[in-house]
Amino acid sequence: MRTKIVAGNWKMHKTLPETITLINELKSIIKTDNKVEVIIAPSFVNLSKAVLLLHDFPISVAAQNMHFADYGAYTGEVSADMLNTIGVNTVILGHSERRAYFNETDDILQQKAEKAYEKGMLNIFCVGEKLEDRTAGKHFEIVKNQLKNALFNLPKQAYKKIVIAYEPVWAIGTGQTATPEQAQEMHKFIRETMAKKYGYDLADSVRILYGGSVKPTNAKEIFSKPDVDGGLIGGASLKAKDFNAIIEAAKS
Ligand code: PGA
């Protein structure tokens, strides 16, 4: 039995005052239970405050990225230790916006995934094809290679702390979501790919989230698919009411 996860990726949204307001709203309406784990990923500068505000509430705080080095001359970057020591033990890696706008390659992501494992962080690892890949019928191959190149060097035990997020690039922020069938088809493929590499027990235990224009209106149907274990939510995670409705959809 895989516990569902609903994670909110706030991207470059919300100033400090806005972060405080949204977290307080979330605390007042979200009813957490053991059916769903809730995570939010505010901007780096607001992570400490988010951790403080949530010390008495079961929402975990994640970073949207981190560097693979322990420390050093990497202007503008943030290390795993910096995150861990402020109480942030979860990181989103390989988001398509990082891949597209900040040139994050599979090679870089492999190093980041290794660092997350070494430092005991929960790694929400994003994969997903572009529209042209899907049109060309290459979506399975692309996703398989993203997994293989960045994660398949890791030992089995690393997967206790890995969650995969399937986010078709054409569905992110576009309002065009994958159909529940398209999501299920890819999630099943991801699980089979994991099974071939690591065995069925491991593949069966790994949670696979769907991301890309998840909204209160479509969440329930997407989450009802057998291989969909929750969602990585962008735009709709910025409104407490919508995010809460998506969390509720994951419970049913
Ligand atoms: P979206 O973003 O929900 O706004 O499409 C999802 C994501 O990028 O994680």
Side-chain angles (χ1 to χ4, degrees):
M1 182 64 196
R2 298 182 296 266
T3 307
K4 286 204 165 49
I5 295 177
V6 174
N9 174 10
W10 290 12
K11 308 191 181 182
M12 199 173 73
H13 292 286
K14 303 291 176 189
T15 61
L16 177 61
E18 289 164 353
T19 298
I20 296 169
T21 302
L22 180 52
I23 289 177
N24 285 332
E25 281 170 9
L26 293 174
K27 286 173 75 172
S28 72
I29 60 170
I30 291 174
K31 309 241 174 318
T32 52
D33 65 11
N34 55 10
K35 282 198 198 144
V36 51
E37 289 170 27
V38 181
I39 300 172
I40 57 167
S43 144
F44 277 125
V45 290
N46 297 323
L47 288 176
S48 276
K49 188 66 181 180
V51 169
L52 281 175
L53 290 170
L54 290 165
H55 77 96
D56 58 352
F57 200 83
I59 293 181
S60 316
V61 179
Q64 299 172 19
N65 177 34
M66 69 172 200
H67 199 268
F68 53 76
D70 283 335
Y71 53 82
Y74 299 104
T75 301
E77 291 291 330
V78 171
S79 73
D81 286 345
M82 289 172 184
L83 295 171
N84 270 330
T85 52
I86 60 161
V88 174
N89 314 112
T90 302
V91 63
I92 299 171
L93 292 178
H95 190 281
S96 65
E97 287 150 17
R98 301 282 331 160
R99 292 177 191 259
Y101 307 141
F102 303 98
N103 302 320
E104 290 203 10
T105 59
D106 287 348
D107 178 50
I108 290 171
L109 291 169
Q110 185 195 333
Q111 297 178 68
K112 291 188 176 195
E114 268 169 18
K115 189 52 67 178
Y117 169 51
E118 180 194 321
K119 297 291 181 179
M121 300 189 79
L122 180 70
N123 168 5
I124 303 180
F125 190 80
C126 305
V127 294
E129 80 285 359
K130 298 190 191 106
L131 184 59
E132 64 258 32
D133 302 325
R134 184 162 278 266
T135 315
K138 289 192 184 150
H139 44 302
F140 293 120
E141 188 189 325
I142 295 281
V143 168
K144 185 175 163 181
N145 284 335
Q146 289 171 337
L147 290 170
K148 228 168 84 183
N149 295 341
L151 295 185
F152 281 9
N153 273 2
L154 291 168
K156 259 186 167 182
Q157 65 263 28
Y159 287 84
K160 290 195 182 98
K161 291 269 178 92
I162 292 176
V163 170
I164 310 285
Y166 169 56
E167 300 205 305
V169 179
W170 47 271
I172 294 178
T174 58
Q176 188 195 347
T177 120
T179 64
E181 291 70 31
Q182 284 172 321
Q184 168 57 25
E185 182 185 42
M186 183 59 87
H187 284 223
K188 186 162 177 275
F189 172 79
I190 290 171
R191 212 177 289 291
E192 283 167 3
T193 305
M194 308 286 302
K196 277 187 200 143
K197 168 74 184 168
Y198 292 103
Y200 276 93
D201 285 352
L202 185 140
D204 195 45
S205 71
V206 171
R207 285 168 298 175
I208 307 173
L209 314 183
Y210 170 79
S213 299
V214 177
K215 300 183 274 282
T217 46
N218 59 24
K220 196 169 170 176
E221 210 188 338
I222 296 171
F223 296 166
S224 71
K225 293 294 175 191
D227 286 297
V228 178
D229 305 311
L232 181 54
I233 320 300
S237 72
L238 299 170
K239 292 194 188 113
K241 222 172 120 226
D242 288 357
F243 193 53
N244 183 51
I246 293 169
I247 292 164
E248 287 301 311
K251 290 180 188 171
S252 51

PDB file of all heavy atoms in Angstrom, residues 179-196:
ATOM      1  N   THR A 179      -4.490  12.986 -20.137  1.00  0.00           N
ATOM      2  CA  THR A 179      -5.715  12.303 -19.715  1.00  0.00           C
ATOM      3  C   THR A 179      -5.326  11.304 -18.615  1.00  0.00           C
ATOM      4  O   THR A 179      -4.164  10.879 -18.542  1.00  0.00           O
ATOM      5  CB  THR A 179      -6.353  11.514 -20.885  1.00  0.00           C
ATOM      6  OG1 THR A 179      -5.431  10.489 -21.275  1.00  0.00           O
ATOM      7  CG2 THR A 179      -6.668  12.416 -22.063  1.00  0.00           C
ATOM      8  N   PRO A 180      -6.277  10.936 -17.780  1.00  0.00           N
ATOM      9  CA  PRO A 180      -5.957   9.937 -16.752  1.00  0.00           C
ATOM     10  C   PRO A 180      -5.374   8.666 -17.384  1.00  0.00           C
ATOM     11  O   PRO A 180      -4.480   8.044 -16.821  1.00  0.00           O
ATOM     12  CB  PRO A 180      -7.313   9.663 -16.101  1.00  0.00           C
ATOM     13  CG  PRO A 180      -8.087  10.928 -16.312  1.00  0.00           C
ATOM     14  CD  PRO A 180      -7.656  11.447 -17.644  1.00  0.00           C
ATOM     15  N   GLU A 181      -5.831   8.336 -18.571  1.00  0.00           N
ATOM     16  CA  GLU A 181      -5.322   7.124 -19.254  1.00  0.00           C
ATOM     17  C   GLU A 181      -3.865   7.309 -19.682  1.00  0.00           C
ATOM     18  O   GLU A 181      -3.059   6.394 -19.565  1.00  0.00           O
ATOM     19  CB  GLU A 181      -6.187   6.782 -20.470  1.00  0.00           C
ATOM     20  CG  GLU A 181      -7.588   6.292 -20.139  1.00  0.00           C
ATOM     21  CD  GLU A 181      -8.509   7.380 -19.557  1.00  0.00           C
ATOM     22  OE1 GLU A 181      -8.338   8.570 -19.908  1.00  0.00           O
ATOM     23  OE2 GLU A 181      -9.369   7.030 -18.722  1.00  0.00           O
ATOM     24  N   GLN A 182      -3.563   8.506 -20.200  1.00  0.00           N
ATOM     25  CA  GLN A 182      -2.165   8.766 -20.592  1.00  0.00           C
ATOM     26  C   GLN A 182      -1.253   8.732 -19.372  1.00  0.00           C
ATOM     27  O   GLN A 182      -0.133   8.215 -19.433  1.00  0.00           O
ATOM     28  CB  GLN A 182      -2.045  10.140 -21.277  1.00  0.00           C
ATOM     29  CG  GLN A 182      -2.552  10.165 -22.699  1.00  0.00           C
ATOM     30  CD  GLN A 182      -2.591  11.594 -23.254  1.00  0.00           C
ATOM     31  OE1 GLN A 182      -2.930  12.544 -22.556  1.00  0.00           O
ATOM     32  NE2 GLN A 182      -2.243  11.730 -24.524  1.00  0.00           N
ATOM     33  N   ALA A 183      -1.731   9.297 -18.266  1.00  0.00           N
ATOM     34  CA  ALA A 183      -0.928   9.284 -17.034  1.00  0.00           C
ATOM     35  C   ALA A 183      -0.722   7.847 -16.586  1.00  0.00           C
ATOM     36  O   ALA A 183       0.410   7.415 -16.343  1.00  0.00           O
ATOM     37  CB  ALA A 183      -1.614  10.107 -15.945  1.00  0.00           C
ATOM     38  N   GLN A 184      -1.796   7.090 -16.506  1.00  0.00           N
ATOM     39  CA  GLN A 184      -1.694   5.701 -16.053  1.00  0.00           C
ATOM     40  C   GLN A 184      -0.748   4.886 -16.943  1.00  0.00           C
ATOM     41  O   GLN A 184       0.095   4.123 -16.448  1.00  0.00           O
ATOM     42  CB  GLN A 184      -3.092   5.060 -16.013  1.00  0.00           C
ATOM     43  CG  GLN A 184      -3.120   3.548 -15.834  1.00  0.00           C
ATOM     44  CD  GLN A 184      -2.398   3.060 -14.571  1.00  0.00           C
ATOM     45  OE1 GLN A 184      -2.253   3.794 -13.592  1.00  0.00           O
ATOM     46  NE2 GLN A 184      -1.908   1.818 -14.610  1.00  0.00           N
ATOM     47  N   GLU A 185      -0.861   5.095 -18.239  1.00  0.00           N
ATOM     48  CA  GLU A 185      -0.015   4.339 -19.179  1.00  0.00           C
ATOM     49  C   GLU A 185       1.473   4.605 -18.901  1.00  0.00           C
ATOM     50  O   GLU A 185       2.287   3.682 -18.850  1.00  0.00           O
ATOM     51  CB  GLU A 185      -0.379   4.770 -20.608  1.00  0.00           C
ATOM     52  CG  GLU A 185       0.366   4.047 -21.689  1.00  0.00           C
ATOM     53  CD  GLU A 185       0.044   4.614 -23.076  1.00  0.00           C
ATOM     54  OE1 GLU A 185      -0.036   5.853 -23.238  1.00  0.00           O
ATOM     55  OE2 GLU A 185      -0.114   3.812 -24.002  1.00  0.00           O
ATOM     56  N   MET A 186       1.818   5.878 -18.704  1.00  0.00           N
ATOM     57  CA  MET A 186       3.225   6.206 -18.450  1.00  0.00           C
ATOM     58  C   MET A 186       3.659   5.765 -17.056  1.00  0.00           C
ATOM     59  O   MET A 186       4.772   5.260 -16.883  1.00  0.00           O
ATOM     60  CB  MET A 186       3.478   7.709 -18.647  1.00  0.00           C
ATOM     61  CG  MET A 186       4.923   8.099 -18.474  1.00  0.00           C
ATOM     62  SD  MET A 186       6.059   7.261 -19.626  1.00  0.00           S
ATOM     63  CE  MET A 186       5.973   8.384 -21.036  1.00  0.00           C
ATOM     64  N   HIS A 187       2.788   5.924 -16.081  1.00  0.00           N
ATOM     65  CA  HIS A 187       3.164   5.502 -14.724  1.00  0.00           C
ATOM     66  C   HIS A 187       3.420   3.994 -14.679  1.00  0.00           C
ATOM     67  O   HIS A 187       4.356   3.533 -14.031  1.00  0.00           O
ATOM     68  CB  HIS A 187       2.062   5.873 -13.723  1.00  0.00           C
ATOM     69  CG  HIS A 187       2.052   7.330 -13.375  1.00  0.00           C
ATOM     70  ND1 HIS A 187       1.894   7.815 -12.094  1.00  0.00           N
ATOM     71  CD2 HIS A 187       2.202   8.427 -14.157  1.00  0.00           C
ATOM     72  CE1 HIS A 187       1.952   9.138 -12.106  1.00  0.00           C
ATOM     73  NE2 HIS A 187       2.125   9.527 -13.351  1.00  0.00           N
ATOM     74  N   LYS A 188       2.584   3.255 -15.398  1.00  0.00           N
ATOM     75  CA  LYS A 188       2.759   1.806 -15.450  1.00  0.00           C
ATOM     76  C   LYS A 188       4.092   1.469 -16.115  1.00  0.00           C
ATOM     77  O   LYS A 188       4.845   0.612 -15.650  1.00  0.00           O
ATOM     78  CB  LYS A 188       1.596   1.198 -16.235  1.00  0.00           C
ATOM     79  CG  LYS A 188       1.557  -0.301 -16.246  1.00  0.00           C
ATOM     80  CD  LYS A 188       0.153  -0.774 -16.663  1.00  0.00           C
ATOM     81  CE  LYS A 188       0.081  -2.280 -16.771  1.00  0.00           C
ATOM     82  NZ  LYS A 188       0.526  -2.769 -18.074  1.00  0.00           N
ATOM     83  N   PHE A 189       4.386   2.210 -17.176  1.00  0.00           N
ATOM     84  CA  PHE A 189       5.647   1.999 -17.885  1.00  0.00           C
ATOM     85  C   PHE A 189       6.837   2.296 -16.959  1.00  0.00           C
ATOM     86  O   PHE A 189       7.825   1.554 -16.936  1.00  0.00           O
ATOM     87  CB  PHE A 189       5.703   2.887 -19.135  1.00  0.00           C
ATOM     88  CG  PHE A 189       7.043   2.868 -19.814  1.00  0.00           C
ATOM     89  CD1 PHE A 189       7.408   1.806 -20.630  1.00  0.00           C
ATOM     90  CD2 PHE A 189       7.948   3.901 -19.616  1.00  0.00           C
ATOM     91  CE1 PHE A 189       8.660   1.778 -21.229  1.00  0.00           C
ATOM     92  CE2 PHE A 189       9.202   3.877 -20.215  1.00  0.00           C
ATOM     93  CZ  PHE A 189       9.562   2.818 -21.028  1.00  0.00           C
ATOM     94  N   ILE A 190       6.730   3.379 -16.198  1.00  0.00           N
ATOM     95  CA  ILE A 190       7.820   3.737 -15.267  1.00  0.00           C
ATOM     96  C   ILE A 190       7.996   2.615 -14.234  1.00  0.00           C
ATOM     97  O   ILE A 190       9.101   2.178 -13.951  1.00  0.00           O
ATOM     98  CB  ILE A 190       7.523   5.089 -14.565  1.00  0.00           C
ATOM     99  CG1 ILE A 190       7.629   6.231 -15.581  1.00  0.00           C
ATOM    100  CG2 ILE A 190       8.462   5.324 -13.379  1.00  0.00           C
ATOM    101  CD1 ILE A 190       7.149   7.591 -15.083  1.00  0.00           C
ATOM    102  N   ARG A 191       6.882   2.107 -13.719  1.00  0.00           N
ATOM    103  CA  ARG A 191       6.967   1.045 -12.714  1.00  0.00           C
ATOM    104  C   ARG A 191       7.584  -0.213 -13.327  1.00  0.00           C
ATOM    105  O   ARG A 191       8.419  -0.871 -12.712  1.00  0.00           O
ATOM    106  CB  ARG A 191       5.569   0.762 -12.134  1.00  0.00           C
ATOM    107  CG  ARG A 191       5.631   0.331 -10.680  1.00  0.00           C
ATOM    108  CD  ARG A 191       4.261   0.118 -10.059  1.00  0.00           C
ATOM    109  NE  ARG A 191       3.485   1.313  -9.821  1.00  0.00           N
ATOM    110  CZ  ARG A 191       3.782   2.236  -8.904  1.00  0.00           C
ATOM    111  NH1 ARG A 191       4.831   2.115  -8.121  1.00  0.00           N
ATOM    112  NH2 ARG A 191       3.011   3.304  -8.744  1.00  0.00           N
ATOM    113  N   GLU A 192       7.220  -0.517 -14.562  1.00  0.00           N
ATOM    114  CA  GLU A 192       7.795  -1.698 -15.217  1.00  0.00           C
ATOM    115  C   GLU A 192       9.297  -1.519 -15.468  1.00  0.00           C
ATOM    116  O   GLU A 192      10.074  -2.464 -15.346  1.00  0.00           O
ATOM    117  CB  GLU A 192       7.076  -1.961 -16.541  1.00  0.00           C
ATOM    118  CG  GLU A 192       5.720  -2.611 -16.331  1.00  0.00           C
ATOM    119  CD  GLU A 192       4.843  -2.592 -17.594  1.00  0.00           C
ATOM    120  OE1 GLU A 192       5.324  -2.118 -18.659  1.00  0.00           O
ATOM    121  OE2 GLU A 192       3.693  -3.042 -17.491  1.00  0.00           O
ATOM    122  N   THR A 193       9.658  -0.285 -15.834  1.00  0.00           N
ATOM    123  CA  THR A 193      11.077   0.004 -16.072  1.00  0.00           C
ATOM    124  C   THR A 193      11.873  -0.159 -14.774  1.00  0.00           C
ATOM    125  O   THR A 193      12.975  -0.712 -14.761  1.00  0.00           O
ATOM    126  CB  THR A 193      11.231   1.441 -16.628  1.00  0.00           C
ATOM    127  OG1 THR A 193      10.417   1.550 -17.797  1.00  0.00           O
ATOM    128  CG2 THR A 193      12.666   1.769 -16.991  1.00  0.00           C
ATOM    129  N   MET A 194      11.296   0.319 -13.675  1.00  0.00           N
ATOM    130  CA  MET A 194      11.952   0.149 -12.370  1.00  0.00           C
ATOM    131  C   MET A 194      12.042  -1.335 -12.010  1.00  0.00           C
ATOM    132  O   MET A 194      13.048  -1.791 -11.465  1.00  0.00           O
ATOM    133  CB  MET A 194      11.144   0.828 -11.250  1.00  0.00           C
ATOM    134  CG  MET A 194      10.771   2.271 -11.457  1.00  0.00           C
ATOM    135  SD  MET A 194      12.117   3.410 -11.261  1.00  0.00           S
ATOM    136  CE  MET A 194      12.604   3.049  -9.628  1.00  0.00           C
ATOM    137  N   ALA A 195      10.977  -2.069 -12.325  1.00  0.00           N
ATOM    138  CA  ALA A 195      10.936  -3.495 -11.982  1.00  0.00           C
ATOM    139  C   ALA A 195      12.023  -4.268 -12.724  1.00  0.00           C
ATOM    140  O   ALA A 195      12.676  -5.145 -12.155  1.00  0.00           O
ATOM    141  CB  ALA A 195       9.562  -4.073 -12.295  1.00  0.00           C
ATOM    142  N   LYS A 196      12.228  -3.914 -13.991  1.00  0.00           N
ATOM    143  CA  LYS A 196      13.250  -4.617 -14.778  1.00  0.00           C
ATOM    144  C   LYS A 196      14.633  -4.392 -14.187  1.00  0.00           C
ATOM    145  O   LYS A 196      15.487  -5.261 -14.224  1.00  0.00           O
ATOM    146  CB  LYS A 196      13.226  -4.117 -16.224  1.00  0.00           C
ATOM    147  CG  LYS A 196      12.161  -4.824 -17.039  1.00  0.00           C
ATOM    148  CD  LYS A 196      12.241  -4.460 -18.504  1.00  0.00           C
ATOM    149  CE  LYS A 196      10.895  -4.770 -19.162  1.00  0.00           C
ATOM    150  NZ  LYS A 196      10.525  -3.807 -20.172  1.00  0.00           N
TER     151      LYS A 196
END
